[in-house]
Amino acid sequence: GISSCAPGGTLLGPPDSVVDLGNTEVTEEIFLEYLSSLGESMFRGESYNLFEHNCNTFSNEVAQFLTGRKIPSYITDLPAEVLATPFGQALRPLLDSVQIQPPGGNTFSRHNGQS
């Protein structure tokens, strides 16, 4: 599912870094409609997979919609890099056996008191 947080933050706290991908001409109304459609299709809660369909996959999809640019590959390639290590290979069966459900459903808001 899709959840939201205050701009400049994450559900896990402040980001380690911020990458400027440019500006957008997409209106808030169109963006919220887009998020709603993603939450009903590609990014339903049950489609989450820590290694293959995660928050970075979502961020990349949204960045392309808003700016036409992808997020850096050093972010999107991180799960594959972890899985390429002996530790990642040892850990994968355990993580695959656990149902990881990120917090929230399809909840996002304007962060100004309105939903």
Side-chain angles (χ1 to χ4, degrees):
I2 300 173
S3 297
S4 67
C5 59
T10 75
L11 294 174
L12 302 175
D16 293 333
S17 65
V18 176
V19 178
D20 186 349
L21 299 178
N23 298 309
T24 188
E25 298 295 321
V26 177
T27 66
E28 182 179 17
E29 180 180 358
I30 290 172
F31 181 57
L32 291 174
E33 288 175 18
Y34 172 72
L35 288 178
S36 181
S37 70
L38 285 181
E40 295 170 0
S41 59
M42 293 174 54
F43 292 96
R44 297 173 58 86
E46 63 269 11
S47 68
Y48 183 85
N49 179 287
L50 182 63
F51 296 111
E52 295 162 4
H53 197 74
N54 54 44
C55 57
N56 295 331
T57 310
F58 172 78
S59 296
N60 195 47
E61 188 76 26
V62 171
Q64 289 180 74
F65 176 78
L66 291 173
T67 68
R69 296 181 62 194
K70 295 181 176 186
I71 65 174
S73 61
Y74 69 84
I75 296 171
T76 55
D77 293 346
L78 188 57
E81 290 177 23
V82 170
L83 290 176
T85 67
F87 180 71
Q89 287 298 304
L91 197 57
R92 182 157 195 171
L94 172 66
L95 291 175
D96 283 344
S97 71
V98 175
Q99 176 66 29
I100 299 172
Q101 190 75 16
N106 292 327
T107 58
F108 40 91
S109 63
R110 293 182 175 94
H111 291 287
N112 63 2
Q114 300 176 350
S115 292

Short mmCIF file of all heavy atoms in Angstrom, two decimals, residues 65-107:
data_model
loop_
_atom_site.label_atom_id
_atom_site.label_comp_id
_atom_site.label_asym_id
_atom_site.label_seq_id
_atom_site.Cartn_x
_atom_site.Cartn_y
_atom_site.Cartn_z
N PHE A 65 7.16 9.75 -13.22
CA PHE A 65 5.90 10.42 -13.53
C PHE A 65 6.03 11.93 -13.34
O PHE A 65 5.56 12.71 -14.17
CB PHE A 65 4.78 9.86 -12.64
CG PHE A 65 3.47 10.57 -12.81
CD1 PHE A 65 2.66 10.29 -13.90
CD2 PHE A 65 3.04 11.50 -11.88
CE1 PHE A 65 1.44 10.93 -14.06
CE2 PHE A 65 1.81 12.14 -12.03
CZ PHE A 65 1.01 11.86 -13.13
N LEU A 66 6.65 12.34 -12.25
CA LEU A 66 6.73 13.77 -11.93
C LEU A 66 7.77 14.52 -12.74
O LEU A 66 7.54 15.67 -13.13
CB LEU A 66 7.04 13.95 -10.44
CG LEU A 66 5.92 13.56 -9.47
CD1 LEU A 66 6.43 13.64 -8.04
CD2 LEU A 66 4.70 14.44 -9.67
N THR A 67 8.92 13.90 -12.97
CA THR A 67 10.04 14.65 -13.58
C THR A 67 10.58 14.04 -14.86
O THR A 67 11.38 14.66 -15.54
CB THR A 67 11.23 14.74 -12.59
OG1 THR A 67 11.79 13.44 -12.41
CG2 THR A 67 10.81 15.34 -11.26
N GLY A 68 10.19 12.80 -15.15
CA GLY A 68 10.76 12.12 -16.32
C GLY A 68 12.13 11.54 -16.03
O GLY A 68 12.78 11.01 -16.93
N ARG A 69 12.58 11.61 -14.79
CA ARG A 69 13.89 11.10 -14.41
C ARG A 69 13.76 9.98 -13.40
O ARG A 69 12.87 10.01 -12.55
CB ARG A 69 14.75 12.22 -13.82
CG ARG A 69 15.06 13.32 -14.84
CD ARG A 69 15.92 14.40 -14.27
NE ARG A 69 17.21 13.86 -13.86
CZ ARG A 69 18.07 14.50 -13.09
NH1 ARG A 69 17.79 15.69 -12.63
NH2 ARG A 69 19.22 13.95 -12.77
N LYS A 70 14.67 9.00 -13.48
CA LYS A 70 14.70 7.90 -12.53
C LYS A 70 15.50 8.29 -11.30
O LYS A 70 16.34 9.19 -11.36
CB LYS A 70 15.35 6.67 -13.17
CG LYS A 70 14.57 6.10 -14.32
CD LYS A 70 15.28 4.89 -14.88
CE LYS A 70 14.46 4.25 -15.98
NZ LYS A 70 15.05 2.99 -16.43
N ILE A 71 15.27 7.58 -10.19
CA ILE A 71 16.14 7.76 -9.04
C ILE A 71 17.46 7.04 -9.35
O ILE A 71 17.50 6.15 -10.21
CB ILE A 71 15.50 7.28 -7.72
CG1 ILE A 71 15.24 5.78 -7.71
CG2 ILE A 71 14.21 8.04 -7.46
CD1 ILE A 71 14.74 5.26 -6.36
N PRO A 72 18.55 7.42 -8.70
CA PRO A 72 19.85 6.84 -9.03
C PRO A 72 19.89 5.31 -8.87
O PRO A 72 19.27 4.75 -7.95
CB PRO A 72 20.80 7.51 -8.03
CG PRO A 72 20.13 8.78 -7.64
CD PRO A 72 18.65 8.47 -7.68
N SER A 73 20.63 4.67 -9.75
CA SER A 73 20.71 3.21 -9.73
C SER A 73 21.38 2.69 -8.47
O SER A 73 21.11 1.55 -8.06
CB SER A 73 21.43 2.69 -10.97
OG SER A 73 22.75 3.19 -11.03
N TYR A 74 22.23 3.48 -7.82
CA TYR A 74 22.83 2.99 -6.59
C TYR A 74 21.78 2.77 -5.51
O TYR A 74 22.01 2.03 -4.55
CB TYR A 74 23.96 3.90 -6.08
CG TYR A 74 23.55 5.26 -5.56
CD1 TYR A 74 23.12 5.43 -4.25
CD2 TYR A 74 23.61 6.38 -6.37
CE1 TYR A 74 22.74 6.68 -3.77
CE2 TYR A 74 23.24 7.63 -5.90
CZ TYR A 74 22.81 7.78 -4.61
OH TYR A 74 22.45 9.01 -4.13
N ILE A 75 20.60 3.37 -5.68
CA ILE A 75 19.49 3.14 -4.75
C ILE A 75 18.67 1.93 -5.20
O ILE A 75 18.42 1.02 -4.41
CB ILE A 75 18.61 4.39 -4.63
CG1 ILE A 75 19.40 5.56 -4.04
CG2 ILE A 75 17.35 4.10 -3.80
CD1 ILE A 75 18.69 6.89 -4.08
N THR A 76 18.27 1.94 -6.45
CA THR A 76 17.41 0.86 -6.93
C THR A 76 18.14 -0.48 -7.03
O THR A 76 17.51 -1.54 -6.95
CB THR A 76 16.80 1.20 -8.31
OG1 THR A 76 17.84 1.51 -9.23
CG2 THR A 76 15.83 2.37 -8.20
N ASP A 77 19.46 -0.45 -7.19
CA ASP A 77 20.23 -1.70 -7.30
C ASP A 77 20.64 -2.29 -5.95
O ASP A 77 21.18 -3.39 -5.90
CB ASP A 77 21.49 -1.48 -8.14
CG ASP A 77 21.18 -1.16 -9.60
OD1 ASP A 77 20.02 -1.37 -10.03
OD2 ASP A 77 22.10 -0.70 -10.31
N LEU A 78 20.40 -1.58 -4.87
CA LEU A 78 20.86 -2.02 -3.56
C LEU A 78 20.35 -3.42 -3.16
O LEU A 78 21.14 -4.25 -2.71
CB LEU A 78 20.51 -0.99 -2.49
CG LEU A 78 21.10 -1.23 -1.11
CD1 LEU A 78 22.63 -1.32 -1.16
CD2 LEU A 78 20.67 -0.13 -0.16
N PRO A 79 19.06 -3.72 -3.34
CA PRO A 79 18.61 -5.07 -2.97
C PRO A 79 19.36 -6.18 -3.73
O PRO A 79 19.75 -7.18 -3.14
CB PRO A 79 17.12 -5.07 -3.31
CG PRO A 79 16.73 -3.64 -3.22
CD PRO A 79 17.92 -2.88 -3.73
N ALA A 80 19.58 -5.98 -5.02
CA ALA A 80 20.31 -6.98 -5.81
C ALA A 80 21.75 -7.11 -5.33
O ALA A 80 22.31 -8.22 -5.31
CB ALA A 80 20.28 -6.62 -7.29
N GLU A 81 22.35 -6.00 -4.93
CA GLU A 81 23.72 -6.04 -4.41
C GLU A 81 23.77 -6.84 -3.11
O GLU A 81 24.70 -7.61 -2.89
CB GLU A 81 24.25 -4.63 -4.20
CG GLU A 81 24.53 -3.89 -5.49
CD GLU A 81 24.99 -2.46 -5.26
OE1 GLU A 81 25.51 -2.16 -4.16
OE2 GLU A 81 24.83 -1.64 -6.18
N VAL A 82 22.78 -6.64 -2.25
CA VAL A 82 22.73 -7.40 -1.00
C VAL A 82 22.56 -8.88 -1.29
O VAL A 82 23.25 -9.74 -0.71
CB VAL A 82 21.60 -6.89 -0.08
CG1 VAL A 82 21.38 -7.82 1.10
CG2 VAL A 82 21.91 -5.47 0.40
N LEU A 83 21.65 -9.21 -2.22
CA LEU A 83 21.40 -10.62 -2.54
C LEU A 83 22.59 -11.28 -3.23
O LEU A 83 22.70 -12.51 -3.22
CB LEU A 83 20.16 -10.75 -3.43
CG LEU A 83 18.85 -10.45 -2.73
CD1 LEU A 83 17.70 -10.51 -3.73
CD2 LEU A 83 18.61 -11.41 -1.58
N ALA A 84 23.48 -10.50 -3.81
CA ALA A 84 24.67 -11.05 -4.48
C ALA A 84 25.75 -11.47 -3.48
O ALA A 84 26.73 -12.11 -3.86
CB ALA A 84 25.22 -10.04 -5.47
N THR A 85 25.57 -11.12 -2.21
CA THR A 85 26.56 -11.48 -1.19
C THR A 85 26.18 -12.81 -0.55
O THR A 85 25.01 -13.20 -0.56
CB THR A 85 26.63 -10.40 -0.09
OG1 THR A 85 25.40 -10.40 0.64
CG2 THR A 85 26.92 -9.02 -0.68
N PRO A 86 27.15 -13.52 0.03
CA PRO A 86 26.81 -14.75 0.76
C PRO A 86 25.81 -14.50 1.89
O PRO A 86 24.89 -15.30 2.10
CB PRO A 86 28.16 -15.22 1.30
CG PRO A 86 29.16 -14.64 0.36
CD PRO A 86 28.60 -13.31 -0.07
N PHE A 87 25.95 -13.38 2.59
CA PHE A 87 25.01 -13.06 3.66
C PHE A 87 23.60 -12.86 3.10
O PHE A 87 22.63 -13.34 3.67
CB PHE A 87 25.48 -11.80 4.41
CG PHE A 87 24.56 -11.42 5.53
CD1 PHE A 87 24.49 -12.17 6.69
CD2 PHE A 87 23.75 -10.29 5.42
CE1 PHE A 87 23.63 -11.81 7.73
CE2 PHE A 87 22.90 -9.92 6.45
CZ PHE A 87 22.84 -10.68 7.61
N GLY A 88 23.48 -12.15 1.99
CA GLY A 88 22.19 -11.92 1.36
C GLY A 88 21.55 -13.23 0.92
O GLY A 88 20.34 -13.42 1.10
N GLN A 89 22.35 -14.13 0.37
CA GLN A 89 21.82 -15.43 -0.05
C GLN A 89 21.36 -16.25 1.15
O GLN A 89 20.35 -16.94 1.07
CB GLN A 89 22.88 -16.20 -0.84
CG GLN A 89 23.10 -15.66 -2.24
CD GLN A 89 21.83 -15.74 -3.07
OE1 GLN A 89 21.25 -16.81 -3.24
NE2 GLN A 89 21.38 -14.61 -3.58
N ALA A 90 22.08 -16.15 2.24
CA ALA A 90 21.70 -16.88 3.45
C ALA A 90 20.44 -16.28 4.07
O ALA A 90 19.61 -17.00 4.62
CB ALA A 90 22.84 -16.86 4.46
N LEU A 91 20.29 -14.98 3.98
CA LEU A 91 19.17 -14.29 4.60
C LEU A 91 17.88 -14.36 3.78
O LEU A 91 16.79 -14.33 4.34
CB LEU A 91 19.57 -12.82 4.80
CG LEU A 91 18.76 -11.97 5.75
CD1 LEU A 91 18.74 -12.58 7.14
CD2 LEU A 91 19.34 -10.57 5.80
N ARG A 92 17.99 -14.50 2.48
CA ARG A 92 16.81 -14.44 1.61
C ARG A 92 15.72 -15.45 1.97
O ARG A 92 14.55 -15.07 2.05
CB ARG A 92 17.18 -14.58 0.15
CG ARG A 92 15.93 -14.47 -0.70
CD ARG A 92 16.16 -14.07 -2.08
NE ARG A 92 14.89 -13.66 -2.66
CZ ARG A 92 14.78 -13.09 -3.82
NH1 ARG A 92 15.85 -12.84 -4.52
NH2 ARG A 92 13.61 -12.77 -4.29
N PRO A 93 16.02 -16.74 2.19
CA PRO A 93 14.94 -17.66 2.52
C PRO A 93 14.16 -17.24 3.77
O PRO A 93 12.93 -17.37 3.80
CB PRO A 93 15.65 -19.00 2.74
CG PRO A 93 16.93 -18.87 1.98
CD PRO A 93 17.31 -17.43 2.07
N LEU A 94 14.86 -16.73 4.75
CA LEU A 94 14.19 -16.27 5.96
C LEU A 94 13.27 -15.09 5.65
O LEU A 94 12.10 -15.07 6.04
CB LEU A 94 15.21 -15.88 7.03
CG LEU A 94 14.62 -15.22 8.27
CD1 LEU A 94 13.75 -16.20 9.03
CD2 LEU A 94 15.72 -14.65 9.14
N LEU A 95 13.79 -14.10 4.94
CA LEU A 95 12.99 -12.92 4.62
C LEU A 95 11.84 -13.25 3.68
O LEU A 95 10.77 -12.66 3.77
CB LEU A 95 13.88 -11.82 4.04
CG LEU A 95 14.86 -11.21 5.04
CD1 LEU A 95 15.77 -10.22 4.35
CD2 LEU A 95 14.13 -10.56 6.20
N ASP A 96 12.06 -14.19 2.76
CA ASP A 96 10.97 -14.60 1.86
C ASP A 96 9.85 -15.31 2.61
O ASP A 96 8.70 -15.29 2.18
CB ASP A 96 11.49 -15.49 0.74
CG ASP A 96 12.22 -14.72 -0.35
OD1 ASP A 96 12.07 -13.48 -0.41
OD2 ASP A 96 12.93 -15.36 -1.15
N SER A 97 10.18 -15.93 3.73
CA SER A 97 9.16 -16.67 4.48
C SER A 97 8.34 -15.77 5.40
O SER A 97 7.32 -16.18 5.92
CB SER A 97 9.81 -17.78 5.31
OG SER A 97 10.53 -17.23 6.39
N VAL A 98 8.79 -14.54 5.59
CA VAL A 98 8.11 -13.60 6.47
C VAL A 98 7.28 -12.64 5.62
O VAL A 98 7.79 -12.08 4.64
CB VAL A 98 9.13 -12.80 7.31
CG1 VAL A 98 8.45 -11.74 8.14
CG2 VAL A 98 9.95 -13.72 8.17
N GLN A 99 6.02 -12.47 5.99
CA GLN A 99 5.18 -11.51 5.29
C GLN A 99 5.48 -10.12 5.82
O GLN A 99 5.20 -9.82 6.98
CB GLN A 99 3.69 -11.84 5.49
CG GLN A 99 2.74 -10.85 4.88
CD GLN A 99 2.79 -10.82 3.36
OE1 GLN A 99 3.08 -11.82 2.72
NE2 GLN A 99 2.53 -9.68 2.78
N ILE A 100 6.10 -9.29 4.99
CA ILE A 100 6.42 -7.93 5.40
C ILE A 100 5.32 -7.02 4.88
O ILE A 100 5.09 -6.94 3.68
CB ILE A 100 7.79 -7.48 4.85
CG1 ILE A 100 8.89 -8.39 5.38
CG2 ILE A 100 8.06 -6.03 5.21
CD1 ILE A 100 10.25 -8.16 4.76
N GLN A 101 4.65 -6.37 5.78
CA GLN A 101 3.56 -5.46 5.42
C GLN A 101 3.93 -4.08 5.92
O GLN A 101 3.90 -3.81 7.11
CB GLN A 101 2.25 -5.92 6.05
CG GLN A 101 1.04 -5.20 5.54
CD GLN A 101 0.65 -5.63 4.15
OE1 GLN A 101 1.06 -6.66 3.65
NE2 GLN A 101 -0.14 -4.83 3.49
N PRO A 102 4.32 -3.18 5.01
CA PRO A 102 4.64 -1.82 5.45
C PRO A 102 3.44 -1.18 6.12
O PRO A 102 2.30 -1.56 5.86
CB PRO A 102 4.98 -1.10 4.15
CG PRO A 102 5.30 -2.18 3.17
CD PRO A 102 4.47 -3.35 3.59
N PRO A 103 3.68 -0.21 7.00
CA PRO A 103 2.56 0.44 7.70
C PRO A 103 1.65 1.16 6.71
O PRO A 103 2.09 1.62 5.67
CB PRO A 103 3.24 1.42 8.65
CG PRO A 103 4.59 1.63 8.10
CD PRO A 103 4.96 0.37 7.37
N GLY A 104 0.39 1.26 7.08
CA GLY A 104 -0.57 2.00 6.26
C GLY A 104 -1.19 1.14 5.19
O GLY A 104 -0.78 0.02 4.94
N GLY A 105 -2.19 1.67 4.56
CA GLY A 105 -2.82 1.03 3.42
C GLY A 105 -2.54 1.95 2.25
O GLY A 105 -1.40 2.25 1.96
N ASN A 106 -3.57 2.40 1.61
CA ASN A 106 -3.41 3.43 0.59
C ASN A 106 -3.85 4.73 1.22
O ASN A 106 -4.95 5.20 1.01
CB ASN A 106 -4.22 3.09 -0.66
CG ASN A 106 -3.65 1.89 -1.35
OD1 ASN A 106 -2.46 1.68 -1.34
ND2 ASN A 106 -4.50 1.09 -1.96
N THR A 107 -2.98 5.27 2.04
CA THR A 107 -3.30 6.51 2.75
C THR A 107 -2.26 7.55 2.41
O THR A 107 -1.07 7.36 2.59
CB THR A 107 -3.30 6.28 4.27
OG1 THR A 107 -2.02 5.80 4.67
CG2 THR A 107 -4.37 5.30 4.68
#
